Amino acid sequence: MLYRFTEVLNDLVNYFLLGDILLLENWKRANNLPDDLATEFTTNESGDRAFAEGIVIPMTGIENYPYTILFNLSADRPELCKEKNRLQFRKSGYFLKVAHHTLLLFTWPVLKQFTPEKVNDLISYYKVHNKPMIELANGWYHIEILGGETLQDGDYEPTFEFVIQPAAKEEAAINTDRNVRFEITSSAY
């Protein structure tokens, strides 16, 4: 199954985050962290811990473009690896835990007021406006992140593709490479 979302923006901050946002909210509460997770993550080691524990994958280097986001749950060849598209990078070795049947891509400003109410409002907004969120069975997942450009209506659009495959808990390694930049060079912008 391939899920496609278009015109996804970074909210003017060069970050995307991928994860089960309800799990992140529970993790924040369990670790007695403040509602301003943006400041918390940039001034303490809690952001590194959330990444290492498979709660969230931070993606830096996100230019201010409209992106196409693909969630690929099939075992087929990734879309960005097909001939008409332009693959720029392919990074594997990431693991995420899903505990609330949801996986979504969200932006850094969401972390500034990270309360249960704001998280629920965001999920509702994503559902109504068809934003990058999918339902998944609870468990661990191996995430491969591909970046490049996909051909759409005659133009090349900056695209991230997340290849998502179930992983046994025993397989789930600790995420270690947090300092990767996920910058896409766009020929259209």
Side-chain angles (χ1 to χ4, degrees):
M1 183 105 208
L2 182 70
Y3 298 89
R4 181 182 304 270
F5 303 90
T6 58
E7 301 294 317
V8 177
L9 303 175
N10 68 357
D11 291 338
L12 304 177
V13 179
N14 72 341
Y15 249 86
F16 279 140
L17 297 114
L18 181 71
D20 175 341
I21 199 164
L22 292 169
L23 178 61
L24 179 59
E25 203 283 318
N26 288 343
W27 185 86
K28 177 202 87 164
R29 200 170 343 112
N31 286 281
N32 297 313
L33 300 177
D35 291 340
D36 182 358
L37 272 186
T39 299
E40 173 66 26
F41 281 2
T42 56
T43 59
N44 293 302
E45 307 245 340
S46 52
D48 293 339
R49 280 194 357 252
F51 172 64
E53 293 176 25
I55 307 297
V56 69
I57 297 173
M59 298 173 59
T60 64
I62 309 302
E63 293 296 326
N64 190 29
Y65 308 137
Y67 289 90
T68 295
I69 303 297
L70 305 172
F71 288 139
N72 189 338
L73 279 65
S74 74
D76 297 338
R77 187 175 179 199
E79 288 295 305
L80 274 165
C81 292
K82 294 182 178 174
E83 285 183 30
K84 64 182 179 187
N85 298 318
R86 298 174 176 167
L87 177 68
Q88 294 181 18
F89 60 80
R90 186 173 188 172
K91 301 179 186 309
S92 60
Y94 297 101
F95 291 88
L96 277 177
K97 182 178 180 180
V98 172
H100 298 91
H101 300 285
T102 59
L103 179 67
L104 65 151
L105 186 74
F106 56 101
T107 61
W108 187 261
V110 169
L111 298 177
K112 290 182 180 179
Q113 293 181 328
F114 202 74
T115 64
E117 298 78 25
K118 293 282 189 183
V119 168
N120 287 328
D121 288 348
L122 182 71
I123 290 170
S124 295
Y125 178 82
Y126 268 46
K127 288 178 182 176
V128 169
H129 297 284
N130 194 33
K131 295 297 181 183
M133 179 175 74
I134 59 171
E135 289 187 20
L136 288 175
N138 288 342
W140 282 94
Y141 290 88
H142 173 260
I143 310 291
E144 185 175 23
I145 304 172
L146 292 80
E149 295 179 299
T150 51
L151 186 60
Q152 299 174 46
D153 301 322
D155 293 319
Y156 281 97
E157 293 292 330
T159 302
F160 285 106
E161 181 172 4
F162 300 96
V163 177
I164 303 164
Q165 298 295 320
K169 184 173 180 174
E170 300 78 43
E171 288 180 89
I174 293 176
N175 292 322
T176 56
D177 197 358
R178 184 185 187 291
N179 297 316
V180 172
R181 289 186 57 80
F182 293 91
E183 188 171 349
I184 294 174
T185 302
S186 172
S187 60
Y189 301 102

